[in-house]
Structure formats: structure tokens, C-alpha cells
């Protein structure tokens, strides 16, 4: 079987089609369904024998639930209500889980010691400034102005700290709620974005809502939304960029086909094909991925991965359009335009995030190039001195990043991330005088970044399964999801000796959860499936989601610093390295 396309499908030609109008399980990325199978020709598409047999030969199909669902969505108004109501419902659930009691604990936890205080000094000075010893306790008590004007050496770009500072800029830093509020909002918005991306991928509101639900109730996503760290912002911007890539993918192929048909109808021959410059969603993706990079440099991998992905998508689109020189057209005509619309835009956004450092003169290394012997000579002497200083800052920060090998009690080797072997304990407090609120004399409170194990382990298996499906069926949905997983995870395998943590997985968690949603969509089946198969599929997905929700309820106290007894806390340590 030859490769027909990275993203080809019958549904791509008619993106307005939505099987949700007929069944809650339609639109899943199943190789047995022509709209989502990628192959050279009709004969090579893996089609279930039952799907091609007459109904009377196959026996009963579908379920009464399918009939009820079809009737429920029988009017445009009801379909619109479901299309938007489902995503909004899981987004509201996410908001409750992230904002409830967000101000507890009223203390700087884990790496908030860097990012919250840096955000506050960015608002005051335009650059990260130094704090005296014991400032964490002072800050938590409301004494937030004990910082100096001296610069602090930081190794991450400023945008994530500017975003953390939004709540404090509006309402002050006296309450932990406000220094965490914008991060919680980012985690909530990400759930809604997840449903939008899921709908683009699967053409099914139900599978999209399942994807959003998985992100809404997972422990890693909840914890990273309830503490003011940078990584949740990387996740949000990368997911936003992915959604823009999906929008660009749909629109660009339509424009390509229209341009090619126009040439052919005029009697010409398109040869390599036209260059498509009208790609607003690609520019938007550049903005989003640039913003991710302006939070943490790991966003660069998403720029590179999806840039390459878009070149491959364009090559396959040109092949499907019948262009004889589709490879040459993709590489030598469209790829340079794709680069211009994506990479410089991302760079401009990244550079803009340093505006506070550039327009002030107190930041760390801000005047490095002004010192004798530091300024560039020769070819690079034209570069403005502030930018030369900024480049030196980046060299120093990169040296720090690749050299971080200090042991930490909660560090986690990237090889163990897929099984969540060592989640991060971000906060712990205990009381033994009966005042803790757990109903016993001794109470413990924790914020532990333990993913929902049912969801996380299933998502790991689902991701591996999508690798098989993409290799076997060339499904564009599997390919797009796996690009996101690869961009977020594989680069860390180059730094196995670095001090890193399990919570870094939040950057690519939406993609592994989309992989899980894709597999759940396959399990759900289609109303045209045999009744027994359809009933088993619906029951299996319902049981899985029910168990996942119950596990989230069980773990939520450890995600939100609720006081519990030591015995109850111990029940959550399912693997030996969790405690």
C-alpha cells in the first residue's frame, strides 16, 4: 500500500459534515470508516466486512440509544445547543475544579518562589528583581514590596511571568488566589480549546467533549492550573497553535485546489502548483507557538515539528490534486512561504516578550555589551548593543539549562514519564492538634502532581496504538496528534541527565489525551455496526469514563491541598515512588 496523503480523507472534502447529528459515537478515527482512513485507493482502505454487507445480512445494527440520540438532535437548534453546550459544560466543570479554594494554601509553594515574585517585580520594574532572604513568608503575609531594584538572574523568558502577573496587576498580590488566578484561567480555557481541536480532528462533538472531559478531570492538568508555574502557559499556547494548524490545514488545501482548477480551466498546466500566501491561521499559529517559546524555550520544538508537518501536509495535498511535481512544489515553492509565515512571526512574538527588559536598563546583563571589550566587532558590529546584550543573556541561560544536574528529591527521568513513576510533591503541611479540619487530631495537606492513573496509563497505551494505526492506515488524525506528542516529549530524551520533573508533561498532555479520545471513539463504534458490537462499545466507554471520574474524585484532595488523615493520604500511593 502506497502513501496517498498525510491528511487525506473523504471528510476533508466536506468538513461541514458531522455525524453527531445521527449518533453519539460517529466521526471516530476508525480505519473501518472511509472518512478517516488514509490509503492510496479505495481497494487499499481497510473496511470492515460488516460495513459493506447489506443490513439484512448483518442482522440488527445500532442501539436504542442511537435512535434516541438521532431524535434528540433532530432540529438545527438542538444540534447547535449540543455543539456548543457540550464543550461549555466540560469547561465549566474544569473551572470549578481549578478555581475552588484556589487561594489555599496562602503560601508560596514549590517554584512559585521564582515565578510569582518575578511576576510582581516585572510589573514594578519591567525586569525580574532580587528579593531578600525569607521573602516567601513576607510575600505570603502581604508584605510584597520588599524587593530591591537589583536584577535577578533568571533563565526563562518573561512572557509566562507577565501572564501570571495579570491577576496581581488587577487585584493585588495580597491573596494567593490572585497570583494563581490567571494560571487557573489558562487551564480552564485549555479545556475549551481541547474540544475545538477535538472536533476538528474527529468531526464528532461527543468525542471532542470526551477529550475535553479527560483534560478537565486529570490530576496533572488540575494541579498545574492551581499553582502559579510557567508550564501551564506552554501547554495553552501549544494547544492554541495546534488548533490554528488544523484550521490552516483545512483552508489551505481548499485554496490550493481552487487555484489549480483555475489554471487548468484556463488551458494552462500548474506543474509545481501555486504558492499559497493567504494563510491567516498559519500566521496565528506562529503567534501562538512564539508565545509558547516566550514562556519556555521548549516551545521551539513545537515550532519546528509543526513547521515540518505543514510542509508534509502540503506535499500530500499537491499529490492528491494530481500535480506531477508535487514534491518539488512543496519543498521549493510552498515550504519557503510556510517558513516566512510561521517562523519570523514566532520570532517577533518571542522578541516582543523581552520588551520590559529592553526598554529599561536595570535587567540582568542589560548593559553587558556596553562594557569594554564585550561589544561585537566585524560583521556583527551593526547589531544594536541591547540586542547584543540579550544574545549574551541567552548564551548564559542555555549554558545553565544544559548543565542542570543538581539532584532533587522529586526529579523524574523522562523515560519514566509515560507511567508517571515519580510525580512531584509541591506542597505539604501537617497539624497534630485537631485543628487541621480532617476530623482527627493529625491532618496532612498536600499538592501532588499525580496524574489520574487510569487516564494517564490509558493515554500512554493509546498513544502507542496510534503509532501503529498511523503506520498501518496513514490516518491523518493519528499523524497530527503524534506530531504534538513528539514535539513535547522526544526532545527531553536528549537530556536524560538533567534535573527535570514529571509535571513538564503538561506541555504535551493534551496530545496524549487526544490520542486516548481517538481510541475511545474507535471503541464507541458507529450506529452502522452490529448491535452487539455497538452495545459493547458504548458500555466500555461509559465504564471507563465512570471509573476515571471516580478516581479523580478520590485523588482530588491530594491535588487541592484538602486536609486528610495520614492513612487516607497513603491510600493514594499506587506506585512505590509516589510517596
Amino acid at each position: 500500500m502506497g502513501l496517498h496523503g498525510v491528511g487525506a480523507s473523504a471528510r476533508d472534502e466536506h468538513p461541514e459534515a458531522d455525524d453527531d447529528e445521527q449518533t453519539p459515537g460517529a466521526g471516530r478515527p476508525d480505519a473501518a470508516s472511509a472518512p478517516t482512513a488514509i490509503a492510496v485507493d479505495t481497494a487499499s482502505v481497510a473496511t470492515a466486512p460488516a460495513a459493506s454487507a447489506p443490513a439484512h445480512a448483518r442482522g440488527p445494527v445500532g442501539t436504542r440509544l442511537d435512535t434516541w440520540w438521532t431524535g434528540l438532535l433532530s432540529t438545527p437548534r438542538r444540534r447547535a445547543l449540543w455543539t456548543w453546550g457540550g464543550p461549555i459544560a466540560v469547561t465549566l466543570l474544569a473551572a470549578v475544579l481549578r478555581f475552588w479554594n484556589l487561594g489555599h494554601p496562602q503560601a508560596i509553594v514549590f517554584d512559585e518562589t521564582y515565578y510569582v515574585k518575578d511576576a510582581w517585580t516585572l510589573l514594578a520594574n519591567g525586569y525580574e528583581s532580587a528579593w531578600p532572604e525569607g521573602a516567601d513568608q513576607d510575600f505570603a503575609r502581604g508584605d510584597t514590596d520588599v524587593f530591591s531594584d537589583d536584577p535577578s538572574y533568571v533563565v526563562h523568558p518573561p512572557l509566562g511571568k507577565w501572564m501570571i502577573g495579570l491577576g496581581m496587576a488587577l487585584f493585588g498580590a495580597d491573596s494567593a488566589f490572585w497570583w494563581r488566578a490567571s494560571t487557573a484561567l489558562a487551564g480552564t480555557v485549555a479545556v475549551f480549546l481541547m474540544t475545538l481541536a477535538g472536533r476538528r480532528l474527529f468531526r464528532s462533538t461527543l468525542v471532542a467533549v470526551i477529550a475535553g472531559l479527560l483534560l478537565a478531570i486529570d490530576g496533572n492538568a488540575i494541579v498545574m492550573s492551581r499553582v502559579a508555574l510557567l508550564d501551564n502557559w506552554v501547554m495553552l499556547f501549544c494547544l492554541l497553535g495546534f488548533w490554528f494548524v488544523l484550521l490552516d490545514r483545512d483552508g489551505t488545501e481548499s485554496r490550493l485546489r481552487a487555484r489549480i482548477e483555475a489554471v487548468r480551466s484556463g488551458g494552462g498546466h500548474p506543474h509545481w502548483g501555486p504558492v499559497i500566501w493567504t494563510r491567516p491561521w498559519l500566521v496565528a499559529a506562529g503567534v501562538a507557538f512564539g508565545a509558547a517559546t516566550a514562556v519556555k524555550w521548549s516551545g521551539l520544538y513545537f515550532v519546528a515539528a509543526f513547521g515540518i508537518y505543514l510542509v508534509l501536509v502540503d506535499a500530500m495535498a499537491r499529490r492528491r490534486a494530481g500535480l506531477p511535481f508535487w514534491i518539488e512544489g512543496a519543498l521549493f515553492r510552498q515550504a519557503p512561504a510556510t517558513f516566512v509565515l510561521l517562523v519570523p512571526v514566532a520570532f517577533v512574538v518571542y522578541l516582543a516578550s523581552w520588551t520590559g527588559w529592553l526598554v529599561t536598563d536595570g535587567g540582568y546583563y542589560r548593559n553587558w555589551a556596553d562594557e569594554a571589550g564585550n561589544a561585537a566587532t566585524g560583521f556583527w558590529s551593526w547589531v544594536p548593543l541591547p540586542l547584543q546584550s540579550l544574545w549574551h543573556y541567552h548564551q548564559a541561560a542555555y549554558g545553565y539549562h544544559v548543565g542542570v544536574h543538581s539532584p532533587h528529591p522529586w526529579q523524574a527521568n523522562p523515560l519514566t514519564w509515560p507511567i508517571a513513576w515519580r510525580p512531584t510533591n509541591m506542597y505539604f503541611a501537617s497539624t497534630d492538634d485537631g485543628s487541621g479540619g480532617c476530623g482527627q487530631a493529625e491532618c496532612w495537606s498536600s499538592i501532588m502532581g499525580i496524574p489520574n492513573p487510569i487516564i494517564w496509563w490509558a493515554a500512554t497505551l493509546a498513544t502507542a496504538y496510534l503509532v501503529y494505526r498511523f503506520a498501518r492506515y496513514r490516518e491523518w488524525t493519528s499523524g497530527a496528534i503524534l506530531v504534538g506528542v513528539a514535539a513535547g516529549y522526544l526532545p527531553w530524551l536528549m537530556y536524560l541527565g538533567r534535573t527535570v520533573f514529571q509535571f513538564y508533561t503538561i506541555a504535551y498532555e493534551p496530545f496524549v489525551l487526544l490520542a486516548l479520545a481517538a481510541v475511545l471513539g474507535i471503541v464507541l463504534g458507529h450506529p452502522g455496526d452490529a448491535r452487539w458490537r455497538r452495545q459493547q462499545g458504548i458500555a466500555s466507554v461509559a465504564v471507563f469514563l465512570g471509573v476515571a471520574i471516580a478516581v479523580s474524585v478520590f485523588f482530588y484532595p491530594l491535588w487541592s491541598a484538602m486536609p486528610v488523615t495520614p492513612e487516607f493520604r497513603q491510600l493514594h500511593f499506587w506506585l512505590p515512588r509516589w510517596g
Side-chain angles (χ1 to χ4, degrees):
M1 180 174 69
L3 178 63
H4 179 64
V6 171
S9 75
R11 189 68 57 82
D12 292 336
E13 303 304 321
H14 303 283
E16 72 279 1
D18 183 4
D19 287 338
D20 274 341
E21 297 179 7
Q22 301 171 355
T23 172
R28 85 283 190 210
D30 190 346
S33 171
T36 52
I38 309 306
V40 179
D41 49 41
T42 305
S44 61
V45 177
T47 305
S52 59
H56 65 82
R58 289 185 283 139
V61 298
T63 67
R64 283 184 290 181
L65 179 61
D66 294 316
T67 303
W68 171 79
W69 189 257
T70 300
L72 186 66
L73 301 184
S74 59
T75 67
R77 184 172 183 178
R78 290 179 180 179
R79 289 194 295 271
L81 182 62
W82 165 237
T83 298
W84 295 106
I88 290 173
V90 292
T91 303
L92 291 176
L93 173 63
V96 171
L97 296 176
R98 285 150 178 76
F99 280 95
W100 178 83
N101 204 24
L102 183 62
H104 173 72
Q106 179 64 32
I108 298 285
V109 304
F110 202 66
D111 281 356
E112 284 186 342
T113 186
Y114 306 115
Y115 309 131
V116 170
K117 293 185 298 182
D118 284 347
W120 188 239
T121 58
L122 276 173
L123 294 172
N125 292 336
Y127 59 89
E128 297 91 341
S129 307
W131 295 77
E133 292 291 331
D136 285 5
Q137 293 76 19
D138 294 335
F139 197 96
R141 287 193 299 265
D143 192 1
T144 59
D145 295 326
V146 296
F147 59 88
S148 71
D149 291 335
D150 296 332
S152 176
Y153 179 56
V154 298
V155 293
H156 292 301
L159 182 59
K161 287 161 278 187
W162 283 112
M163 302 306 290
I164 290 171
L166 289 177
M168 294 187 288
L170 294 173
F171 302 102
D174 295 340
S175 169
F177 181 94
W178 292 117
W179 75 60
R180 296 173 186 145
S182 60
T183 306
L185 181 62
T188 303
V189 172
V191 171
F192 188 72
L193 273 176
M194 186 80 155
T195 64
L196 297 180
R199 187 168 173 80
R200 279 278 160 183
L201 284 168
F202 310 125
R203 312 299 181 185
S204 167
T205 300
L206 178 65
V207 180
V209 168
I210 289 174
L213 175 66
L214 295 172
L215 186 62
I217 67 174
D218 178 67
N220 190 45
I222 291 173
V223 167
M224 295 309 295
S225 297
R226 293 179 62 91
V227 293
L229 305 190
L230 301 179
D231 304 79
N232 218 44
W233 292 100
V234 177
M235 178 271 290
L236 176 66
F237 290 131
C238 288
L239 181 57
L240 181 63
F242 177 63
W243 181 51
F244 289 148
V245 165
L246 295 178
L247 293 171
D248 174 76
R249 181 185 173 279
D250 287 344
T252 301
E253 182 161 3
S254 298
R255 296 186 189 97
L256 176 68
R257 287 179 178 273
R259 293 274 299 276
I260 292 173
E261 289 304 316
V263 172
R264 286 172 174 163
S265 62
H269 195 288
H271 299 293
W272 287 17
V275 178
I276 308 298
W277 285 97
T278 309
R279 301 177 67 176
W281 294 119
L282 178 58
V283 175
V287 172
F289 290 136
T293 307
V295 176
K296 276 191 169 183
W297 287 351
S298 53
L300 274 173
Y301 297 117
F302 287 86
V303 178
F306 281 105
I308 295 171
Y309 169 79
L310 287 168
V311 173
L312 294 175
V313 165
D314 179 68
M316 295 302 102
R318 288 167 184 265
R319 184 182 182 185
R320 286 192 296 274
L323 295 179
F325 302 106
W326 55 277
I327 295 178
E328 294 85 348
L331 292 179
F332 302 120
R333 299 208 68 190
Q334 187 61 54
T338 300
F339 179 91
V340 169
L341 294 172
L342 178 69
V343 177
V345 171
F347 176 75
V348 169
V349 171
Y350 177 81
L351 186 61
S353 73
W354 288 89
T355 299
W357 187 90
L358 289 168
V359 300
T360 60
D361 60 5
Y364 207 89
Y365 283 139
R366 174 60 180 80
N367 299 305
W368 175 86
D370 296 308
E371 298 174 3
N374 288 340
T377 58
F379 178 79
W380 296 109
S381 60
W382 63 271
V383 177
L385 293 182
L387 293 182
Q388 292 188 34
S389 296
L390 185 60
W391 176 249
H392 177 72
Y393 197 149
H394 281 64
Q395 289 179 310
Y398 178 77
Y400 170 85
H401 281 301
V402 299
V404 177
H405 301 292
S406 302
H408 191 284
W410 294 100
Q411 69 187 65
N413 190 295
L415 293 174
T416 70
W417 289 357
I419 61 170
W421 180 248
R422 186 61 169 168
T424 312
N425 188 359
M426 298 190 181
Y427 170 79
F428 176 81
S430 64
T431 59
D432 57 7
D433 58 1
S435 63
C438 69
Q440 292 190 15
E442 187 173 13
C443 297
W444 292 2
S445 298
S446 302
I447 299 178
M448 297 196 70
I450 302 174
N452 180 313
I454 302 300
I455 294 175
W456 189 255
W457 295 336
T460 296
L461 294 175
T463 303
Y465 180 59
L466 285 201
V467 173
Y468 159 75
R469 288 190 71 88
F470 181 73
R472 176 67 179 84
Y473 302 120
R474 304 298 194 270
E475 292 171 340
W476 80 268
T477 51
S478 298
I481 292 169
L482 291 174
V483 169
V485 176
Y489 177 61
L490 293 184
W492 292 105
L493 300 182
M494 299 185 296
Y495 304 102
L496 296 180
R498 272 199 58 187
T499 305
V500 296
F501 301 92
Q502 176 74 34
F503 67 80
Y504 290 4
T505 58
I506 190 63
Y508 68 90
E509 179 168 349
F511 299 96
V512 296
L513 296 187
L514 285 169
L516 178 55
V519 173
L520 292 176
I522 295 170
V523 174
L524 270 176
H526 190 274
D529 293 334
R531 180 166 298 168
W532 66 268
R533 189 262 188 249
R534 178 68 164 156
Q535 288 174 336
Q536 288 184 357
I538 293 174
S540 298
V541 172
V543 169
F544 175 83
L545 293 178
V547 171
I549 291 170
V551 170
S552 287
V553 172
F554 177 66
F555 273 88
Y556 190 74
L558 267 67
W559 299 336
S560 58
M562 292 174 61
V564 298
T565 64
E567 295 78 14
F568 181 77
R569 183 176 182 268
Q570 189 65 32
L571 292 176
H572 296 77
F573 299 154
W574 294 6
L575 293 180
R577 293 285 289 168
W578 285 11

